[in-house]
Amino acid sequence: MHFYFLVGGTQTNAVVINLMLQSYEGVIAAETGHISVHEAGSKGIRFWHCGKINVNELKEYLWTFYVDGNYEHMVFSEMVYISHLTEYGTLYTKSELTEISEICKKYEIPLFLDRARLAYGLMAKDTDVTLPDIARLCDVFYFGTKARALLREAVVFTKDNPPKNFAMRIK
């Protein structure tokens, strides 16, 4: 695992997304996802509904994208973005996160979990998701100021997968 410290959630989302993706690549996020609604400027976002990415819709979207013979003329969806708990207060189950992670692995795209409300999601009475689950299932996640950390966001690349020269690029 690799850890890096950044300041502020919006900046952290922008830096991680911009350094992990090429200019022609986009992010798959729920329609209500933080980067879709509150952080205009994120690249090529695709939308789903109900506060969470639906596993079956994600499978269908990616399958349909790659069977379309014209996909090289569209924004490549090269990252899946989620938050736990969502903007609507819904929780992903360990089963849902596992399925999303498996889909991401199949298409070789990273799964990025935003820290927004992560501490609440991990402490929720009805969750079966733990921090070790997130570290195992996600390619990158972060936590920090919303969990009472002082002035920092800790970005964690879980699979020895930070973008090349990440430390130099965030200076």
Side-chain angles (χ1 to χ4, degrees):
M1 284 192 201
H2 292 269
F3 298 84
Y4 299 92
F5 294 100
L6 294 164
V7 178
T10 299
Q11 294 87 344
T12 300
N13 284 337
V15 166
V16 169
I17 290 168
N18 284 320
L19 294 182
M20 289 187 76
L21 300 183
Q22 299 297 318
S23 60
Y24 54 86
E25 296 173 331
V27 178
I28 298 170
E31 184 174 40
T32 55
H34 202 67
I35 62 169
S36 301
V37 178
H38 298 106
E39 296 173 0
S42 296
K43 305 187 229 176
I45 299 164
R46 302 289 177 215
F47 301 112
W48 269 269
H49 56 278
C50 300
K52 299 193 291 188
I53 289 177
N54 178 286
V55 173
N56 292 325
E57 290 180 15
L58 178 61
K59 284 180 194 174
E60 183 178 337
Y61 173 78
L62 288 167
W63 181 82
T64 302
F65 177 82
Y66 285 104
V67 255
D68 184 330
N70 292 311
Y71 72 83
E72 72 258 3
H73 301 291
M74 299 185 279
V75 173
F76 278 66
S77 298
E78 291 295 323
M79 176 183 281
V80 172
Y81 166 96
I82 60 173
S83 49
H84 178 75
L85 29 78
T86 69
E87 285 69 16
Y88 282 2
T90 52
L91 296 162
Y92 283 94
T93 65
K94 189 185 309 187
S95 174
E96 289 171 322
L97 281 179
T98 300
E99 285 187 78
I100 292 170
S101 179
E102 288 170 0
I103 294 166
C104 289
K105 285 177 187 151
K106 176 180 178 178
Y107 287 95
E108 299 179 2
I109 58 178
L111 176 55
F112 176 31
L113 188 131
D114 186 331
R115 67 87 169 103
R117 298 164 307 283
L118 177 58
Y120 303 111
L122 291 171
M123 297 304 296
K125 183 171 50 171
D126 298 332
T127 192
D128 64 348
V129 174
T130 65
L131 191 55
D133 294 328
I134 289 170
R136 180 175 48 82
L137 297 170
C138 296
D139 297 286
V140 60
F141 71 96
Y142 71 104
F143 56 92
T145 56
K146 287 193 178 179
R148 304 264 188 212
L150 185 61
L151 302 175
R152 297 288 171 110
E153 305 295 342
V155 179
V156 182
F157 290 93
T158 62
K159 297 174 177 57
D160 199 27
N161 59 333
K164 186 175 181 181
N165 301 316
F166 189 79
M168 294 298 291
R169 297 168 79 187
I170 62 174
K171 286 185 176 186

